[in-house]
């Protein structure tokens, strides 16, 4: 197997690909991975040569600091194959920049653009047969970095491992969901790491989300520390439509600067929708639900692009949203337009798509 690969990378191919045994029609999101992965170590204050090698377990010392002090960050991206069998990334520079912002916040080294972006392109070129064309098909991309230095001293690691994994994905649709507005638990705090894509942010959500699910809800809409402002929905940014205006909270120390979020904001403006980025109060959403002006709530993120919310609970009272699917749903329209841009089925006037 000969690959024309950049001099910056070494390549060790698998002995036999597992692609012929992979069931592309029944894909569980993020559960199975392609033949190869990219790995690169940080030692002696420098990134070493990146290597593309067979997907395999990583061996770490039990005292590796990722296990004890949680220095771990990641990103979520997708690649798409168009009708001409060409492969495209969606705004990869945004993920690269956010990854490094997360690294700085967790006292980790910033990754080189050559390793992250060029390495990703080289890896996908090797795994190009794993990217299936057709609306709804994609290749999910998971770059991550962990602290690997041994020793349980409570200080930042001096050694790290950067990896990129690839996982075939189908269109992610879990149906409309019901959510609970947080009244006690918080996702993040002012001055904290809420704006970083840190592993700890997600583990901290698991327990309150478990409680919400036991109560019959799918997710939580997180609020600020005063529980008066609405911020995120589960692991997604969240949008609210009152009458003909869409609202979403501004980014902050507590809110992740989502790539899908900012893309939807720009797309909504281009399509002529009224959209405002400002703090969204719990009271105004409850009032809008009560007087019938609340039309839609939807989450936005890489996996689902948009996930519609059909009802929410606050102070033990359930509020049902109207079904706008056949009455001009802004959420469905924006999702359709964005996914067509990502799949090269519509003109990309923003210049968001990057060819591999």
């Amino acid at each position: 197997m000969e690959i024309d690969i950049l001099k910056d990378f070494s390549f060790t191919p698998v002995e036999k690909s597992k692609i012929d045994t992979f069931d592309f029609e029944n894909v569980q999101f993020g559960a199975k991975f392609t033949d190869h992965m990219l790995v690169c170590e940080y030692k002696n204050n420098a990134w070493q040569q990146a290597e593309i090698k067979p997907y395999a377990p990583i061996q770490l010392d039990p005292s590796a600091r990722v296990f004890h002090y949680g220095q771990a960050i990641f990103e979520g991206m997708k690649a798409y194959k168009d009708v001409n069998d060409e492969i495209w990334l969606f705004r990869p520079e945004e993920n690269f920049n956010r990854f490094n912002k997360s690294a700085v916040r967790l006292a980790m080294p910033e990754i080189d653009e050559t390793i992250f972006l060029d390495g990703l392109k080289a890896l996908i070129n090797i795994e190009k047969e794993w990217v299936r064309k057709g609306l709804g098909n994609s290749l999910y991309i998971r770059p991550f970095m962990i602290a690997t230095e041994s020793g349980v001293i409570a200080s930042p690691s001096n050694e790290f491992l950067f990896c990129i994994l690839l996982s075939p994905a189908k269109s992610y649709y879990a149906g409309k969901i019901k959510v609970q507005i947080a009244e006690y638990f918080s996702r993040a705090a002012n001055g904290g790491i809420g704006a970083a894509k840190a592993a700890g942010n997600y583990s901290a959500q698991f327990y309150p989300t478990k409680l919400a699910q036991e109560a019959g809800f799918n997710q939580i809409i997180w609020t600020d520390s005063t529980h008066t402002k609405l911020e995120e929905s589960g692991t997604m940014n969240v949008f609210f439509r009152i009458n003909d205006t869409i609202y979403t909270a501004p980014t902050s120390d507590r809110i992740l600067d989502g790539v899908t979020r900012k893309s939807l904001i720009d797309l909504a403006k281009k399509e002529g929708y009224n959209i405002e980025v400002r703090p969204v109060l719990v009271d105004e959403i409850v009032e809008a639900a009560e007087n019938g002006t609340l039309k839609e709530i939807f989450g936005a993120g890489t996996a689902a692009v948009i996930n519609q919310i059909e009802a929410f609970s606050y102070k033990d009272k359930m509020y049902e949203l109207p079904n706008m699917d056949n009455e001009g749903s802004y959420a469905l329209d924006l999702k359709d337009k964005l996914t067509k841009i990502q799949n090269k089925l519509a003109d990309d006037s923003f210049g968001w798509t990057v060819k591999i």
Side-chain angles (χ1 to χ4, degrees), residues 117-178:
L117 292 177
D118 293 346
L120 172 58
K121 293 175 183 178
L123 178 61
I124 293 178
N125 265 320
I126 291 170
E127 305 286 63
K128 59 188 176 183
E129 296 304 317
W130 288 86
V131 193
R132 297 300 167 104
K133 60 185 175 184
L135 192 62
N137 294 320
S138 63
L139 187 68
Y140 182 73
I141 303 163
R142 172 52 64 91
F144 69 95
M145 191 200 307
I146 57 173
T148 56
E149 185 179 10
S150 61
V152 293
I153 302 168
S155 62
S157 178
N158 293 301
E159 297 178 358
F160 298 87
L161 181 69
F162 172 76
C163 296
I164 302 178
L165 311 178
L166 304 177
S167 178
K170 298 286 285 185
S171 180
Y172 183 93
Y173 180 69
K176 294 184 180 181
I177 64 172
K178 295 181 180 180

Side-chain angles (χ1 to χ4, degrees), residues 2-63:
E2 294 184 1
I3 299 291
D4 181 18
I5 198 165
L6 297 174
K7 61 179 176 60
D8 303 276
F9 309 98
S10 66
F11 174 55
T12 305
V14 292
E15 292 184 2
K16 179 176 175 58
S17 174
K18 58 180 179 275
I19 193 169
D20 291 337
T21 64
F22 193 89
D23 185 358
F24 283 92
E25 295 305 314
N26 296 286
V27 177
Q28 182 182 352
F29 183 80
K32 300 290 184 179
F33 299 88
T34 65
D35 290 324
H36 300 90
M37 61 183 183
L38 181 143
V39 298
C40 188
E41 291 185 289
Y42 183 87
K43 294 181 178 179
N44 303 316
N45 298 314
W47 287 104
Q48 308 302 301
Q49 185 184 45
E51 179 185 1
I52 297 174
K53 64 180 186 178
Y55 182 93
I58 296 169
Q59 185 172 349
L60 293 175
D61 192 285
S63 68

Side-chain angles (χ1 to χ4, degrees), residues 19 26 42 49 64 78 153 174 191 206 215 274 312 314 320 344:
I19 193 169
N26 296 286
Y42 183 87
Q49 185 184 45
K78 283 183 178 179
I153 302 168
F206 291 160
N274 295 320
F312 72 89
Y314 181 64
E320 303 283 344
K344 303 302 288 184

